[in-house]
Amino acid sequence: MSVGVVMLVFILLLVLTVPVSISLGMASVLPSMFDPSFTVGAKYLIRAMFSGLDSFPLLAVPMFVLSGILMAKGGISKRLFDVFAYFLGNFTAGLPCAVIVTCLFYGAISGSGPATVAAVGSMTIPILTSLGYELSFAASIAAVAGGLGVIIPPSIPFIMFGMASGASVSDLFLAGIVPGLIIGLLLIFYAMIYCRRHGEDKEKIGREVRALHEKGLLTVLKESFFALLSPVIILGCIYTGVASPTEAAVISVFYSLLVGLFLYRTITVREIPDILVESIRTFAPILFILAASTAFSRVLTLMHVPQIVSTWIIESFHSPVVILLVINVFLLVVGMVMDTTPAILILTPILLPIIQSIGMDPIQFGVIMVVNLAIGFVTPPIGVNLFVASSLSDVPVMELSRKAMPMIVLFLSALLLFTFVPGFSLWILG
């Protein structure tokens, strides 16, 4: 059976809204069913699925999922927002900018884009609309800034890329810091221009900021101290060598649980079983996708797909600049129609040889791939962040995507910088 038929069946199943994990599994068994000469059978695929899950770095994913839920329930996102609103509230677009910075910090805790949108957006969208900001603007800011959750370390997609490519997860985390900050600054720049053009209700905003100032800086910092400390502890453990990313994820679970139970007292012991069930429901679909995509990538490798695609691109496009542009366009399209996890696990083995053939560092390529797929979070038809923000605000997804378009353009301009200027990703690695 040809590679084209396998990919066509896979795409057709996705179009028919068959779950991604089932689509991957069905596409994986097709060659052995219709081609007797293809020696890979069901037993091999099952072993491949289980071996793909037998990964120590992969254990970080459910831990960060659980940690993110504990921190959302524990009110950490609200305390982070209060700190940034205290300092930024009196400036133009101060509170929308506080939302963006909160997403940056929360992304350094949860490692997930949709989790960042859910935790920060559920709290900040009502605040912004009550202060006179347009509902679609408030929701689109939360949706796009939530994409920073997968770029700022720790990042679940970076863990997946490290598993698929063999690259150091710690190096990938470090490489994501500067790109995440640059995109955050670009979003802040957009928010300031938007608010200058459309105006703000200074009276309502002033009352909100004065209420924070009346508490006093020391009180606000005291209330938010343990929220601000959480990313310092998680990232500090990784970069000082005290713990691996997986071990740091476990530390973040215990830290967020202790803070919620005993310091902020926003979580009760009775709520813990429900939180565990919610985290299992969140991670279980990812687990099935991981297993099926591992088997699918093995089948593609045995069918020599990486070599075929690599040869075609290198023979068709001779300029490294053109090759990088083609790969970026391809990843953008994939990000629009496929979830991040299977996209990384399937495409990394295919694209990595091409990237290495033109002399690009795999760490830089990891940043490029994750930024591309982060843009996919806020672009239809499968823009997960858009769906989360839409469910929080009742704003239609297409209206949100139109409102987010200028911010997506800024995301794309940053992507070009990271593609053609390696220093943005690699200088922090020395």
Side-chain angles (χ1 to χ4, degrees), residues 7 300 305-307 309-310 330 346-354:
M7 297 305 297
L300 293 180
V305 171
Q307 294 89 335
V309 174
S310 177
F330 175 62
I346 293 169
L347 296 178
T348 299
I350 295 174
L351 298 177
L352 196 59
I354 304 171

Side-chain angles (χ1 to χ4, degrees), residues 21 46 97 140 142 223 230 296 305 326 329 336 338 389 416 426:
S21 55
I46 291 171
C97 291
S140 64
E223 290 177 351
S230 52
F296 188 54
V305 171
V326 168
V329 171
M336 292 179 187
M338 188 183 291
L416 290 175
L426 303 179

Side-chain angles (χ1 to χ4, degrees), residues 100 103-104 107 116 144-152 179-181 183-184 187 374 411:
I100 294 167
C103 286
L104 270 169
T116 301
V144 178
L148 297 171
V150 299
I151 303 171
I152 289 291
L181 293 175
I183 294 172
L187 295 181
F411 242 107

Side-chain angles (χ1 to χ4, degrees), residues 29-181:
V29 300
L30 278 178
S32 59
M33 289 177 61
F34 294 97
D35 186 356
S37 64
F38 195 74
T39 56
V40 174
K43 289 183 180 179
Y44 175 87
L45 292 175
I46 291 171
R47 284 198 302 270
M49 292 173 74
F50 279 98
S51 65
L53 299 179
D54 185 17
S55 168
F56 181 70
L58 185 60
L59 286 174
V61 178
M63 292 298 102
F64 278 127
V65 168
L66 175 57
S67 173
I69 292 172
L70 284 168
M71 290 179 178
K73 300 287 185 184
I76 283 180
S77 56
K78 176 65 171 72
R79 286 169 171 81
L80 288 173
F81 177 76
D82 284 348
V83 172
F84 304 129
Y86 183 96
F87 288 106
L88 300 174
N90 287 323
F91 295 98
T92 300
L95 294 182
C97 291
V99 173
I100 294 167
V101 179
T102 303
C103 286
L104 270 169
F105 266 73
Y106 195 85
I109 298 170
S110 71
S112 166
T116 301
V117 178
V120 178
S122 60
M123 176 267 302
T124 58
I125 292 173
I127 291 175
L128 291 183
T129 51
S130 69
L131 297 175
Y133 293 99
E134 190 180 356
L135 178 59
S136 59
F137 170 71
S140 64
I141 282 283
V144 178
L148 297 171
V150 299
I151 303 171
I152 289 291
S155 161
I156 291 173
F158 277 145
I159 296 170
M160 298 299 179
F161 181 84
M163 189 180 75
S165 66
S168 166
V169 174
S170 296
D171 285 351
L172 287 165
F173 282 0
L174 280 171
I177 294 174
V178 174
L181 293 175

Side-chain angles (χ1 to χ4, degrees), residues 204-283:
K204 288 182 178 179
I205 295 169
R207 283 199 299 268
E208 181 76 15
V209 176
R210 277 195 300 274
L212 283 173
H213 283 197
E214 285 170 4
K215 283 186 176 182
L217 177 59
L218 290 178
T219 301
V220 172
L221 288 176
K222 181 181 176 181
E223 290 177 351
S224 308
F225 175 76
F226 292 103
L228 292 168
L229 191 61
S230 52
V232 176
I233 290 175
I234 295 168
L235 298 178
C237 286
I238 296 172
Y239 299 138
T240 58
V242 173
S244 68
T246 301
E247 292 162 344
V250 177
I251 291 170
S252 74
V253 170
F254 281 97
Y255 178 82
S256 55
L257 181 61
L258 292 173
V259 169
L261 277 175
F262 302 113
L263 297 174
Y264 290 156
R265 296 181 181 178
T266 46
I267 298 174
T268 63
V269 175
R270 289 183 178 180
E271 291 178 303
I272 293 176
D274 292 334
I275 291 172
L276 292 173
V277 169
E278 184 179 347
S279 66
I280 291 170
R281 285 177 175 168
T282 302
F283 178 66

